[in-house]
Amino acid sequence: VQLVESGGGSVQAGGSLALSCVVSGFGVSSRCMAWFRQAAGKEREGVATIESAGTPSYLDSVKGRFTISQDNTKNSLTLQIHDLKVEDSGTYTCAALWSGGACPKASDANDKNFYLGQGTQVTVS
């Protein structure tokens, strides 16, 4: 299993970014996937999850601004981020649920139950 993120960077508040995660070792639509975020000095939190069937869940603070999606042709996971806020800054990590269990809501996602990528940094100023 390998998850490789890209697309992070430094942007001004109000801007947009698209984060991508290339998946190897399994099909991106075969299991629950997620994006986690860890701000400096804070615990990692789930910002979006997506069931294998494509149903998404979002943290309340990102609803309407973040969109998680699967791309089966590229076997990748994408997080589109619009109207970025300073508080969106942090390391964004792509994740795959370890087992075939139920896909948690973003607010309930525990990173200990996920295989994690290396992360990509997003800085909003």
Side-chain angles (χ1 to χ4, degrees):
V1 174
Q2 190 173 21
L3 306 173
V4 180
E5 302 96 333
S6 63
S10 296
V11 295
Q12 291 189 335
S16 299
L17 277 177
L19 307 183
S20 181
C21 170
V22 176
V23 176
S24 301
F26 64 95
V28 69
S29 297
S30 68
R31 66 177 72 182
C32 171
M33 300 291 295
W35 284 97
F36 285 86
R37 175 177 69 195
Q38 186 168 24
K42 295 187 177 182
E43 292 187 354
R44 187 180 283 126
E45 63 179 351
V47 295
T49 61
I50 186 166
E51 297 178 353
S52 57
T55 302
S57 171
Y58 300 98
L59 194 66
D60 283 347
S61 61
V62 308
K63 282 181 181 177
R65 301 187 298 117
F66 286 26
T67 303
I68 187 172
S69 61
Q70 309 145 319
D71 186 335
N72 294 313
T73 61
K74 298 179 181 179
N75 205 36
S76 65
L77 185 73
T78 299
L79 186 69
Q80 295 275 357
I81 309 174
H82 298 291
D83 190 22
L84 276 157
K85 304 179 185 299
V86 173
E87 54 264 37
D88 292 324
S89 297
T91 300
Y92 284 72
T93 303
C94 176
L97 192 66
W98 280 110
S99 69
C103 193
K105 294 180 180 179
S107 57
D108 295 332
N110 186 328
D111 60 2
K112 294 179 176 60
N113 297 327
F114 286 80
Y115 180 86
L116 304 175
Q118 294 299 307
T120 185
Q121 181 68 33
V122 172
T123 303
V124 185
S125 59

